[in-house]
Each structure stands twice: as C-alpha cells, then as structure tokens.
Amino acid sequence: MKLTDLSQGLTRIGLGCMNLSHAYGTPPSEEEGIKMLQQAFDLGVRHFDTAALYGFGRNETLVGKALSGKRDQLFLASKCGMTGVDGKRVIDGRPETLVATLDAALERLQTDHIDLYYLHRWDKNVPIEDSVGALSRLVEAGKIGAIGLSEVSADTIAKAHAVHPIAAVQTEYSLWTRNAELAVLGACESLGIAFVAFSPLARGFLADGVASPEVLEEGDIRRNMPRFKEPNFSSNAELLASFKSKAAELNITPAQLSLAWLLAKSPNIYPIPGTRYFSHLEENMAAANVSLSAAVIAELDALINQSTVSGGRYPPATQAEIDTEEFA
C-alpha cells in the first residue's frame, strides 16, 4: 500500500502511535494499547505511524502484536535515526546504525518490510546524502517501500531527494505550529512529496485536552515545552476560548475543527493525531466528514498563528536538534 492510496477510498487521517508507549506520562497497559490499535483498524484507520524511539522499541512491539494479522491491509510507517541507547535518547544517522535499527524494527513489527521509513531526525554530524543513501539501499533490498524525512528544511529535502526520491516529510503542523508554511509545504508540493502532519491537535491543546499545566504528570514532555508553561499557557488559553466558541457555533468539537482546518489546507496533507481513548479516536475520524467555508478558514488563520501564540515550540536544546525553518 502507498500513502496516496489513503486518498482513494480510505481516510487521510492516520494514527500516531507514540503516546501509547512514550512521552505523555504513564502509558496504557499493553493489553489496553493492543485493544486501542485494533479498534482503530476496525474504525477504518489504515495509516499507523510508530518509531524505534517510542518506548525505546516497545511501541513497535505493541504495533506488531496488535496488527500482525492485518499487515497486508495497512500502511505501516516507522522511523530510524533517533533511538534509545542505555536509557537515553540518541540521534545517530550513520548508515550502519540505520541498517541495524531497521533490522530490529522488522523483528518487533513482525513483518518483512515497512511501507514508509523515515529518518526521524537528521544527524547533523552525518551528511544527509549518506543517511539517505543507506536508506535507498534498504529500498533496493525490499526491506522498506519508501523513504521519509522528519523535521527537516526545504533545503535538506532537496539534497535528500537528489539522492533518492523522498515519499513523505513528517513535521508538526497545526494552527499553532505553522513553520511548514514557510517553505516545506511548497517544497513537498513541487516535488510530489506527501506531507504528514504530526501533533495536528497541538499536543492535545486544541482538543481542549489540557485544562492547566498542573494536570500534566511527571514524564510528560509537555511539562518542558514553553507553550505549556506560564505565563504562555494562560495567554494561549484565551485563544482557545475563542476557538472553542467557533467549534460550538459549527456544531463540531474543537478537535474536529482543528483537523478539518488541516484537511482543507491541501489534499497532500495527511494528519496523524494520537490518542489513547476510543471516544477521541471516533471524534477525530469524524473530522474527515467536516467541510469548512473559506470564511471560517480565514477566521481561524487569523485567530491562531505564529504571531498570536505565546511561547516557543520546543525548549532551546530540542530546538537546536531540528532543521525546520523558523519564523523571524
């Protein structure tokens, strides 16, 4: 299956699997995670996105257990280049590391190939051409169907694409994170590359899922993100109040309004919201049936954007690791 197949009779909304194992506080049990993944499949999700980093391999194992009997009906995506080593997150784009990471992923996912394999982060100590060259050889070997990149600039995309066609670029994109609009969305359109939007609900904020910073438990990555800290959080909450009012006016939920805005931006955009709850999954999937007028889209663009949101996207150390363009 190809990513573009998801625009031909299947929903464009996929499932980001990270929070079933990683980064958002205490994860659900394996039994609950497997049930959630199988419910997603039954509801029509076909695009499942995981990574070697998530749970330091545990998420790939979870996805493999839950979906192994359905492999030929799935679009399966995973990532390399950022893994857990001795309990710490490590960025390593050396060819030999990427090959070893893939072999371990195939075993955990209980499959002989992955449809789309991303370089999770560009290791700035390794030329992008070398990392993509290694992945191209894995395409030739039949172990991956296509190559993707994550959190990269338009310039890096062009360099990588010259080595081997890039099928997809994954970057955070939502009303409150608009960096992709600077150059990456245009680069993807011009090169025929799909754009996969992670955190399309602003890490739960635009789904009205974070009442205050105090509700975030230890181990939740949002505790260290500037937008979830005061005074930024309270300032952003004022924007959320107006956003929720617009959703109520349209008789949809804030999450559905967020996803409908994203789907309306381009048919080339594939959102992958994550959730642990079936009710939220149903809510997210229903957004595919929501149509927004040009006037509503313009109103949302003006309400929540890089100029109205308070706080940076990442803390400085994390920001230094990524390659995406930044607003002045």
Side-chain angles (χ1 to χ4, degrees):
M1 184 183 292
K2 298 179 181 179
L3 189 58
T4 50
D5 292 339
L6 301 177
S7 292
Q8 300 168 5
L10 296 172
T11 178
R12 281 163 56 200
I13 300 175
L15 182 67
C17 301
M18 181 173 79
N19 66 3
L20 295 175
S21 307
H22 189 85
Y24 286 87
T26 305
S29 67
E30 181 179 88
E31 180 182 11
E32 292 170 328
I34 288 174
K35 180 180 179 181
M36 178 67 193
L37 290 164
Q38 291 175 342
Q39 288 177 323
F41 180 87
D42 292 342
L43 198 60
V45 174
R46 293 296 180 268
H47 178 189
F48 291 84
D49 182 278
T50 181
L53 177 71
Y54 303 161
F56 295 178
R58 291 190 299 276
N59 195 250
E60 287 181 326
T61 298
L62 183 73
V63 172
K65 287 183 177 180
L67 302 173
S68 61
K70 304 173 174 64
R71 179 65 188 92
D72 61 349
Q73 302 174 65
L74 303 178
F75 182 82
L76 182 61
S78 193
K79 309 177 194 72
C80 61
M82 186 161 62
T83 58
V85 178
D86 297 328
K88 296 182 179 180
R89 182 174 64 90
V90 173
I91 297 174
D92 185 348
R94 292 175 297 171
E96 60 270 26
T97 301
L98 304 185
V99 171
T101 302
L102 173 65
D103 287 341
L106 292 173
E107 183 174 348
R108 288 191 292 259
L109 289 162
Q110 301 183 33
T111 185
D112 61 359
H113 75 287
I114 296 171
D115 297 307
L116 174 61
Y117 207 46
Y118 294 95
L119 187 66
H120 204 161
R121 289 290 186 276
W122 170 37
D123 180 351
K124 297 177 183 179
N125 295 311
V126 178
I128 190 67
E129 293 87 349
D130 291 359
S131 296
V132 172
L135 294 176
S136 72
R137 291 187 287 276
L138 295 174
V139 173
E140 293 169 1
K143 291 185 176 183
I144 62 178
I147 299 171
L149 302 174
S150 179
E151 297 274 48
V152 292
S153 65
D155 182 60
T156 300
I157 293 168
K159 290 177 181 177
H161 197 70
V163 175
H164 187 278
I166 300 301
V169 170
Q170 181 174 144
T171 289
E172 182 175 357
Y173 188 35
S174 69
L175 276 159
W176 87 342
T177 298
R178 311 285 280 274
N179 305 67
E181 295 176 359
L182 286 168
V184 168
L185 285 174
C188 288
E189 290 279 1
S190 65
L191 294 172
I193 298 171
F195 183 90
V196 176
F198 77 79
S199 296
L201 303 179
R203 302 184 187 275
F205 184 82
L206 289 176
D208 196 24
V210 185
S212 74
E214 287 72 31
V215 305
L216 302 175
E217 64 177 282
E218 291 294 331
D220 191 314
I221 56 172
R222 293 172 291 186
R223 290 174 64 93
N224 292 319
M225 291 181 169
R227 293 175 183 176
F228 289 92
K229 291 184 175 183
E230 295 295 3
N232 296 327
F233 186 88
S234 292
S235 178
N236 293 328
E238 294 178 9
L239 300 177
L240 181 63
S242 298
F243 184 74
K244 289 165 58 179
S245 294
K246 174 54 64 173
E249 179 185 320
L250 297 171
N251 199 32
I252 56 177
T253 68
Q256 289 168 345
L257 183 56
S258 302
L259 291 169
W261 173 86
L262 199 54
L263 292 170
K265 282 290 173 176
S266 168
N268 193 48
I269 294 173
Y270 300 83
I272 49 168
T275 184
R276 301 175 181 181
Y277 305 103
F278 183 67
S279 60
H280 293 172
L281 179 67
E282 288 185 305
E283 178 185 344
N284 292 344
M285 294 293 283
N289 300 317
V290 176
S291 295
L292 302 179
S293 69
V296 167
I297 292 170
E299 185 177 348
L300 297 177
D301 281 336
L303 175 65
I304 302 177
N305 59 61
Q306 69 278 0
S307 298
T308 63
V309 169
S310 297
R313 179 181 162 210
Y314 285 130
T318 306
Q319 187 64 47
E321 296 174 348
I322 64 174
D323 181 47
T324 49
E325 292 85 357
E326 294 298 314
F327 288 99

